[in-house]
Amino acid sequence: MANPHLFTPLRIRNLDLSNRIVIAPMCQYSAQDGCMTDWHLIHLGQLALSGAALLTIEASAVTPDGRITYADVGLYDDATEQAMARTLDGIRRWSDMPIAIQLAHAGRKASTDRPWNGGKQIAPDAENGWQTVAPSAVAFNPEYVAPTALDDQGLKRIRDAFAASAVRAGRLGIDAVQIHAAHGYLLHQFLSPLANQRTDSYGGSLENRARFPLEVFDAVRQAFPSDRAVTVRVSATDWVKGGLDIEETVAFAQMLEERGCDAIHVSSGGLHIDQKIPLSPSYQVPLARAVKAAVKMPVVAVGLITDPVQAEAIVATGDADLIALARTVLYDPRWPWHAAAELGAQVKAAPQYLRCQPSRYKDLFQS
Ligand SMILES: Cc1cc2nc3c(=O)[nH]c(=O)nc-3n(C[C@H](O)[C@H](O)[C@H](O)COP(=O)(O)O)c2cc1C
């Protein structure tokens, strides 16, 4: 294939992406007191050698109570910042892949156990548990302790925490911030009428439900260096009747764009236990396409994108500008290499690995 679209460069603010493949944020539940560990150096380090255009650090909590589990990464104090600096120093020594970070608060879905321990909520008075907060005192599911509805002071605390984390991310030289407003976590809880039952100026109409997420966007945008990109990840639909839908998401995307958002990453679901997700390859791409038709900023599609020809088609048809990979790239951390080989393109590879190209195997016998 001549000049595949998947391997054309793209510039977002001052972020130069060498191709259209980004690595989605993926929680590893392997931090200690919010601090990255050697696992993160190994995990992110190998992904930084993958040939993708951008590596996104997992959901990093802006406050300790914003962590999904007690083993989540945070970026909320000097210790968490220093641990992240150590990881980044190690990666940057050997890879020049740009690095983004997802800043997050889990809201009512916080205080749970690691997925491989069952993932259940941990009660506020039990070890490793804490009282959660949310727009309204509506539990995620009947087994959860109801969250505390945030008052004005609580909203300020979290807004300021997003900004403080963005300052830390800027200081760490991180190339872009992605604000997590998807998957049923705090900012998505504000957007969805199923989780947000407030009667003040933060609940009711879409304009009101979007108010807090937009305030957080503005705070992060102001706190992060102005030449670097701030993006947002959304769940475009709750997949539940009466929940957030694609029409409201399109309107929210336009509000973000007006405020200077640099890109939007379109995912879905995670807010309600009654969700019915029609899982199939590219199942979220129509949502990305709908957002893309309404905005000028770059749009990222994600979800069950596993095949290079499939990924090329998403970008070539203009359904999205970029594709993000999660499970696909965990399973095959050299997916971008293999996609480039299949589509007739090139990716950057570490010089240490150059002799592994199949076309060079013959050299092995000569040196
Ligand atoms: C291990 C794992 C951890 C994840 N952690 C996050 C996360 O931190 N933030 C987020 O927005 N999505 C997270 N996700 C969702 C992925 O980013 C992605 O949207 C989803 O897996 C669909 O893409 P895929 O089909 O390529 O896996 C996670 C997914 C996996 C598999």
Side-chain angles (χ1 to χ4, degrees):
M1 188 183 290
N3 305 322
H5 295 76
L6 193 60
F7 290 94
T8 52
L10 182 70
R11 190 174 171 86
I12 302 180
R13 209 169 273 248
N14 76 344
L15 180 64
D16 279 317
L17 303 177
S18 57
N19 57 54
R20 306 303 181 92
I21 305 165
V22 305
I23 297 180
M26 281 179 275
C27 279
Q28 297 297 295
Y29 315 104
S30 301
Q32 276 164 12
D33 299 322
C35 294
M36 283 186 163
T37 61
D38 287 349
W39 175 259
H40 297 93
L41 183 57
I42 296 168
H43 163 70
L44 294 170
Q46 51 128 10
L47 293 176
L49 302 176
S50 67
L54 180 70
L55 173 62
T56 312
I57 295 173
E58 68 188 79
S60 300
V62 299
T63 61
D65 72 341
R67 293 172 299 165
I68 305 166
T69 78
Y70 53 88
D72 280 23
V73 168
L75 185 54
Y76 46 67
D77 60 13
D78 291 348
T80 53
E81 183 180 333
Q82 279 158 20
M84 200 172 282
R86 175 179 171 270
T87 306
L88 290 171
D89 285 350
I91 296 170
R92 289 196 181 113
R93 196 159 298 144
W94 302 106
S95 166
D96 62 2
M97 188 183 290
I99 299 177
I101 186 169
Q102 186 182 54
L103 294 182
H105 192 297
R108 68 178 185 172
K109 284 175 74 176
S111 185
T112 65
D113 210 335
R114 291 170 154 136
W116 55 84
N117 291 338
K120 289 207 160 111
Q121 197 188 40
I122 302 178
D125 53 356
E127 194 188 350
N128 290 326
W130 58 88
Q131 176 60 44
T132 62
V133 295
S136 306
V138 181
F140 173 57
N141 79 34
E143 290 172 9
Y144 277 44
V145 173
T148 304
L150 286 159
D151 59 13
D152 282 350
Q153 214 184 342
L155 293 176
K156 182 176 182 320
R157 174 179 71 87
I158 292 174
R159 207 168 35 226
D160 290 351
F162 268 97
S165 295
V167 168
R168 291 184 188 278
R171 197 154 56 213
L172 288 167
I174 289 175
D175 300 286
V177 162
Q178 178 185 90
I179 297 172
H180 198 352
H183 302 167
Y185 297 113
L186 184 71
L187 300 183
H188 183 186
Q189 290 158 30
F190 271 90
L191 286 166
S192 173
L194 298 174
N196 181 346
Q197 299 178 0
R198 297 174 77 99
T199 52
D200 63 4
S201 62
Y202 291 98
S205 64
L206 175 64
E207 194 193 358
N208 281 359
R209 282 180 277 124
R211 193 178 307 281
F212 187 63
L214 292 175
E215 286 176 3
V216 166
F217 176 83
D218 289 344
V220 169
R221 181 60 281 176
Q222 219 188 339
F224 197 56
S226 59
D227 58 341
R228 296 189 225 162
V230 176
T231 71
V232 177
R233 191 175 217 202
V234 292
S235 275
T237 171
D238 290 342
W239 300 113
V240 181
K241 206 162 178 272
L244 185 72
D245 60 19
I246 182 64
E247 285 75 26
E248 288 196 331
T249 299
V250 164
F252 178 57
Q254 290 170 326
M255 295 176 202
L256 286 169
E257 184 164 62
E258 261 172 39
R259 295 170 115 90
C261 183
D262 291 300
I264 185 156
H265 190 136
V266 182
S267 187
S268 74
L271 185 103
H272 201 278
I273 52 170
D274 291 341
Q275 65 183 14
K276 298 268 179 301
I277 305 185
L279 285 176
S280 64
S282 300
Y283 69 103
Q284 292 176 149
V285 171
L287 302 168
R289 184 191 308 135
V291 173
K292 180 141 176 68
V295 297
K296 292 195 184 63
M297 64 183 153
V299 173
V300 187
V302 66
L304 289 179
I305 300 168
T306 56
D307 176 74
V309 173
Q310 174 197 12
E312 167 65 12
I314 292 166
V315 179
T317 55
D319 283 346
D321 300 281
L322 298 128
I323 59 112
L325 304 174
R327 291 163 294 185
T328 301
V329 79
L330 282 190
Y331 188 69
D332 176 7
R334 301 279 181 270
W335 192 93
W337 291 18
H338 303 146
E342 189 173 327
L343 299 177
Q346 295 256 314
V347 283
K348 205 166 164 189
Q352 295 90 331
Y353 285 178
L354 284 179
R355 288 199 341 190
C356 78
Q357 290 176 78
S359 61
R360 290 193 176 197
Y361 279 2
K362 60 178 181 358
D363 296 349
L364 283 178
F365 304 106
Q366 291 165 355
S367 56

mmCIF file of all heavy atoms in Angstrom, residues 316-343:
data_model
loop_
_atom_site.group_PDB
_atom_site.id
_atom_site.type_symbol
_atom_site.label_atom_id
_atom_site.label_comp_id
_atom_site.label_asym_id
_atom_site.label_seq_id
_atom_site.Cartn_x
_atom_site.Cartn_y
_atom_site.Cartn_z
ATOM 1 N N ALA A 316 -8.243 6.300 7.131
ATOM 2 C CA ALA A 316 -8.361 6.651 5.701
ATOM 3 C C ALA A 316 -9.750 7.184 5.367
ATOM 4 O O ALA A 316 -9.889 8.109 4.565
ATOM 5 C CB ALA A 316 -8.047 5.431 4.839
ATOM 6 N N THR A 317 -10.791 6.623 5.977
ATOM 7 C CA THR A 317 -12.156 7.089 5.672
ATOM 8 C C THR A 317 -12.469 8.400 6.381
ATOM 9 O O THR A 317 -13.508 9.001 6.130
ATOM 10 C CB THR A 317 -13.209 6.053 6.140
ATOM 11 O OG1 THR A 317 -12.983 5.795 7.532
ATOM 12 C CG2 THR A 317 -13.136 4.765 5.347
ATOM 13 N N GLY A 318 -11.607 8.796 7.315
ATOM 14 C CA GLY A 318 -11.858 10.034 8.060
ATOM 15 C C GLY A 318 -12.807 9.840 9.223
ATOM 16 O O GLY A 318 -13.308 10.809 9.798
ATOM 17 N N ASP A 319 -13.078 8.596 9.612
ATOM 18 C CA ASP A 319 -13.927 8.376 10.791
ATOM 19 C C ASP A 319 -13.254 8.943 12.040
ATOM 20 O O ASP A 319 -13.913 9.397 12.970
ATOM 21 C CB ASP A 319 -14.176 6.873 11.003
ATOM 22 C CG ASP A 319 -15.214 6.345 10.025
ATOM 23 O OD1 ASP A 319 -15.904 7.154 9.390
ATOM 24 O OD2 ASP A 319 -15.323 5.114 9.910
ATOM 25 N N ALA A 320 -11.937 8.854 12.075
ATOM 26 C CA ALA A 320 -11.160 9.417 13.193
ATOM 27 C C ALA A 320 -9.788 9.801 12.654
ATOM 28 O O ALA A 320 -9.374 9.338 11.591
ATOM 29 C CB ALA A 320 -11.031 8.405 14.319
ATOM 30 N N ASP A 321 -9.087 10.644 13.415
ATOM 31 C CA ASP A 321 -7.749 11.067 12.990
ATOM 32 C C ASP A 321 -6.676 10.143 13.524
ATOM 33 O O ASP A 321 -5.584 10.054 12.962
ATOM 34 C CB ASP A 321 -7.485 12.487 13.500
ATOM 35 C CG ASP A 321 -8.514 13.454 12.956
ATOM 36 O OD1 ASP A 321 -8.375 13.851 11.789
ATOM 37 O OD2 ASP A 321 -9.475 13.769 13.683
ATOM 38 N N LEU A 322 -6.988 9.512 14.647
ATOM 39 C CA LEU A 322 -6.013 8.628 15.301
ATOM 40 C C LEU A 322 -6.759 7.414 15.831
ATOM 41 O O LEU A 322 -7.964 7.476 16.096
ATOM 42 C CB LEU A 322 -5.351 9.342 16.481
ATOM 43 C CG LEU A 322 -4.552 10.592 16.138
ATOM 44 C CD1 LEU A 322 -4.989 11.755 17.010
ATOM 45 C CD2 LEU A 322 -3.071 10.338 16.320
ATOM 46 N N ILE A 323 -6.019 6.324 16.051
ATOM 47 C CA ILE A 323 -6.619 5.179 16.735
ATOM 48 C C ILE A 323 -5.797 4.908 17.999
ATOM 49 O O ILE A 323 -4.579 5.114 18.018
ATOM 50 C CB ILE A 323 -6.695 3.918 15.847
ATOM 51 C CG1 ILE A 323 -5.302 3.487 15.350
ATOM 52 C CG2 ILE A 323 -7.621 4.147 14.647
ATOM 53 C CD1 ILE A 323 -4.800 2.231 15.906
ATOM 54 N N ALA A 324 -6.501 4.477 19.034
ATOM 55 C CA ALA A 324 -5.811 4.131 20.282
ATOM 56 C C ALA A 324 -5.931 2.631 20.519
ATOM 57 O O ALA A 324 -6.942 2.013 20.164
ATOM 58 C CB ALA A 324 -6.431 4.892 21.456
ATOM 59 N N LEU A 325 -4.884 2.083 21.087
ATOM 60 C CA LEU A 325 -4.832 0.647 21.368
ATOM 61 C C LEU A 325 -4.624 0.425 22.855
ATOM 62 O O LEU A 325 -3.799 1.100 23.478
ATOM 63 C CB LEU A 325 -3.651 0.000 20.631
ATOM 64 C CG LEU A 325 -3.565 0.177 19.125
ATOM 65 C CD1 LEU A 325 -2.253 -0.424 18.619
ATOM 66 C CD2 LEU A 325 -4.752 -0.481 18.419
ATOM 67 N N ALA A 326 -5.338 -0.546 23.414
ATOM 68 C CA ALA A 326 -5.090 -0.939 24.805
ATOM 69 C C ALA A 326 -4.722 -2.426 24.823
ATOM 70 O O ALA A 326 -3.553 -2.784 24.694
ATOM 71 C CB ALA A 326 -6.294 -0.628 25.678
ATOM 72 N N ARG A 327 -5.735 -3.303 24.887
ATOM 73 C CA ARG A 327 -5.421 -4.736 24.982
ATOM 74 C C ARG A 327 -4.573 -5.227 23.814
ATOM 75 O O ARG A 327 -3.676 -6.052 23.995
ATOM 76 C CB ARG A 327 -6.730 -5.537 25.082
ATOM 77 C CG ARG A 327 -7.437 -5.317 26.405
ATOM 78 C CD ARG A 327 -8.872 -5.748 26.339
ATOM 79 N NE ARG A 327 -9.658 -4.934 25.434
ATOM 80 C CZ ARG A 327 -10.964 -5.044 25.255
ATOM 81 N NH1 ARG A 327 -11.640 -5.962 25.928
ATOM 82 N NH2 ARG A 327 -11.609 -4.255 24.421
ATOM 83 N N THR A 328 -4.846 -4.675 22.636
ATOM 84 C CA THR A 328 -4.113 -5.097 21.438
ATOM 85 C C THR A 328 -2.603 -4.928 21.623
ATOM 86 O O THR A 328 -1.820 -5.797 21.242
ATOM 87 C CB THR A 328 -4.589 -4.252 20.236
ATOM 88 O OG1 THR A 328 -5.984 -4.467 20.084
ATOM 89 C CG2 THR A 328 -3.871 -4.605 18.954
ATOM 90 N N VAL A 329 -2.216 -3.809 22.222
ATOM 91 C CA VAL A 329 -0.779 -3.526 22.327
ATOM 92 C C VAL A 329 -0.168 -4.164 23.583
ATOM 93 O O VAL A 329 1.043 -4.342 23.663
ATOM 94 C CB VAL A 329 -0.510 -2.000 22.223
ATOM 95 C CG1 VAL A 329 -0.803 -1.287 23.530
ATOM 96 C CG2 VAL A 329 0.897 -1.708 21.734
ATOM 97 N N LEU A 330 -1.030 -4.551 24.543
ATOM 98 C CA LEU A 330 -0.502 -5.352 25.662
ATOM 99 C C LEU A 330 -0.154 -6.750 25.154
ATOM 100 O O LEU A 330 0.851 -7.343 25.532
ATOM 101 C CB LEU A 330 -1.553 -5.508 26.771
ATOM 102 C CG LEU A 330 -1.801 -4.357 27.725
ATOM 103 C CD1 LEU A 330 -2.689 -4.824 28.876
ATOM 104 C CD2 LEU A 330 -0.499 -3.794 28.270
ATOM 105 N N TYR A 331 -1.036 -7.255 24.293
ATOM 106 C CA TYR A 331 -0.852 -8.603 23.765
ATOM 107 C C TYR A 331 0.334 -8.647 22.804
ATOM 108 O O TYR A 331 1.097 -9.608 22.794
ATOM 109 C CB TYR A 331 -2.137 -9.042 23.054
ATOM 110 C CG TYR A 331 -2.117 -10.484 22.630
ATOM 111 C CD1 TYR A 331 -2.153 -11.496 23.578
ATOM 112 C CD2 TYR A 331 -2.041 -10.835 21.278
ATOM 113 C CE1 TYR A 331 -2.114 -12.829 23.198
ATOM 114 C CE2 TYR A 331 -2.008 -12.158 20.902
ATOM 115 C CZ TYR A 331 -2.046 -13.151 21.860
ATOM 116 O OH TYR A 331 -2.009 -14.463 21.492
ATOM 117 N N ASP A 332 0.470 -7.600 22.024
ATOM 118 C CA ASP A 332 1.546 -7.542 21.026
ATOM 119 C C ASP A 332 2.196 -6.166 21.082
ATOM 120 O O ASP A 332 1.812 -5.259 20.351
ATOM 121 C CB ASP A 332 0.965 -7.806 19.624
ATOM 122 C CG ASP A 332 2.019 -7.655 18.542
ATOM 123 O OD1 ASP A 332 3.214 -7.488 18.876
ATOM 124 O OD2 ASP A 332 1.653 -7.701 17.354
ATOM 125 N N PRO A 333 3.171 -5.989 21.968
ATOM 126 C CA PRO A 333 3.767 -4.658 22.155
ATOM 127 C C PRO A 333 4.510 -4.132 20.918
ATOM 128 O O PRO A 333 4.910 -2.971 20.909
ATOM 129 C CB PRO A 333 4.744 -4.846 23.319
ATOM 130 C CG PRO A 333 4.366 -6.146 23.937
ATOM 131 C CD PRO A 333 3.721 -6.976 22.882
ATOM 132 N N ARG A 334 4.699 -4.972 19.910
ATOM 133 C CA ARG A 334 5.296 -4.475 18.659
ATOM 134 C C ARG A 334 4.235 -4.348 17.568
ATOM 135 O O ARG A 334 4.544 -4.379 16.390
ATOM 136 C CB ARG A 334 6.407 -5.419 18.173
ATOM 137 C CG ARG A 334 7.520 -5.612 19.144
ATOM 138 C CD ARG A 334 8.534 -4.475 19.125
ATOM 139 N NE ARG A 334 9.571 -4.790 20.083
ATOM 140 C CZ ARG A 334 9.528 -4.425 21.369
ATOM 141 N NH1 ARG A 334 8.519 -3.706 21.816
ATOM 142 N NH2 ARG A 334 10.493 -4.779 22.188
ATOM 143 N N TRP A 335 2.954 -4.187 17.964
ATOM 144 C CA TRP A 335 1.876 -4.080 16.968
ATOM 145 C C TRP A 335 2.167 -3.002 15.927
ATOM 146 O O TRP A 335 1.997 -3.249 14.734
ATOM 147 C CB TRP A 335 0.547 -3.824 17.678
ATOM 148 C CG TRP A 335 -0.661 -3.968 16.819
ATOM 149 C CD1 TRP A 335 -1.431 -5.075 16.638
ATOM 150 C CD2 TRP A 335 -1.255 -2.941 15.996
ATOM 151 N NE1 TRP A 335 -2.462 -4.814 15.771
ATOM 152 C CE2 TRP A 335 -2.381 -3.507 15.358
ATOM 153 C CE3 TRP A 335 -0.947 -1.607 15.725
ATOM 154 C CZ2 TRP A 335 -3.194 -2.791 14.483
ATOM 155 C CZ3 TRP A 335 -1.756 -0.884 14.851
ATOM 156 C CH2 TRP A 335 -2.867 -1.485 14.244
ATOM 157 N N PRO A 336 2.634 -1.806 16.327
ATOM 158 C CA PRO A 336 2.896 -0.792 15.296
ATOM 159 C C PRO A 336 3.959 -1.241 14.289
ATOM 160 O O PRO A 336 3.861 -0.916 13.098
ATOM 161 C CB PRO A 336 3.357 0.427 16.106
ATOM 162 C CG PRO A 336 2.667 0.242 17.439
ATOM 163 C CD PRO A 336 2.757 -1.238 17.683
ATOM 164 N N TRP A 337 4.960 -1.997 14.724
ATOM 165 C CA TRP A 337 5.949 -2.518 13.771
ATOM 166 C C TRP A 337 5.265 -3.428 12.758
ATOM 167 O O TRP A 337 5.502 -3.351 11.556
ATOM 168 C CB TRP A 337 6.998 -3.397 14.473
ATOM 169 C CG TRP A 337 7.955 -2.737 15.383
ATOM 170 C CD1 TRP A 337 7.865 -1.505 15.967
ATOM 171 C CD2 TRP A 337 9.180 -3.318 15.839
ATOM 172 N NE1 TRP A 337 8.947 -1.294 16.778
ATOM 173 C CE2 TRP A 337 9.768 -2.381 16.712
ATOM 174 C CE3 TRP A 337 9.823 -4.523 15.604
ATOM 175 C CZ2 TRP A 337 10.981 -2.625 17.349
ATOM 176 C CZ3 TRP A 337 11.025 -4.780 16.238
ATOM 177 C CH2 TRP A 337 11.605 -3.840 17.098
ATOM 178 N N HIS A 338 4.446 -4.340 13.312
ATOM 179 C CA HIS A 338 3.817 -5.337 12.444
ATOM 180 C C HIS A 338 2.823 -4.683 11.495
ATOM 181 O O HIS A 338 2.699 -5.076 10.336
ATOM 182 C CB HIS A 338 3.146 -6.424 13.300
ATOM 183 C CG HIS A 338 4.104 -7.077 14.235
ATOM 184 N ND1 HIS A 338 3.767 -7.528 15.489
ATOM 185 C CD2 HIS A 338 5.433 -7.330 14.109
ATOM 186 C CE1 HIS A 338 4.843 -8.017 16.087
ATOM 187 N NE2 HIS A 338 5.862 -7.912 15.274
ATOM 188 N N ALA A 339 2.130 -3.646 12.001
ATOM 189 C CA ALA A 339 1.184 -2.918 11.141
ATOM 190 C C ALA A 339 1.955 -2.213 10.020
ATOM 191 O O ALA A 339 1.534 -2.227 8.863
ATOM 192 C CB ALA A 339 0.387 -1.911 11.968
ATOM 193 N N ALA A 340 3.092 -1.608 10.384
ATOM 194 C CA ALA A 340 3.896 -0.913 9.366
ATOM 195 C C ALA A 340 4.377 -1.909 8.309
ATOM 196 O O ALA A 340 4.309 -1.640 7.102
ATOM 197 C CB ALA A 340 5.074 -0.207 10.024
ATOM 198 N N ALA A 341 4.833 -3.063 8.764
ATOM 199 C CA ALA A 341 5.318 -4.065 7.807
ATOM 200 C C ALA A 341 4.182 -4.496 6.884
ATOM 201 O O ALA A 341 4.356 -4.606 5.663
ATOM 202 C CB ALA A 341 5.890 -5.265 8.560
ATOM 203 N N GLU A 342 2.994 -4.705 7.462
ATOM 204 C CA GLU A 342 1.867 -5.184 6.652
ATOM 205 C C GLU A 342 1.387 -4.130 5.654
ATOM 206 O O GLU A 342 1.006 -4.447 4.531
ATOM 207 C CB GLU A 342 0.717 -5.593 7.584
ATOM 208 C CG GLU A 342 -0.397 -6.296 6.853
ATOM 209 C CD GLU A 342 -1.462 -6.843 7.805
ATOM 210 O OE1 GLU A 342 -1.126 -7.248 8.940
ATOM 211 O OE2 GLU A 342 -2.632 -6.861 7.394
ATOM 212 N N LEU A 343 1.430 -2.860 6.081
ATOM 213 C CA LEU A 343 0.878 -1.802 5.219
ATOM 214 C C LEU A 343 1.951 -1.145 4.351
ATOM 215 O O LEU A 343 1.656 -0.230 3.581
ATOM 216 C CB LEU A 343 0.182 -0.736 6.079
ATOM 217 C CG LEU A 343 -1.003 -1.215 6.927
ATOM 218 C CD1 LEU A 343 -1.554 -0.080 7.795
ATOM 219 C CD2 LEU A 343 -2.122 -1.776 6.048
#
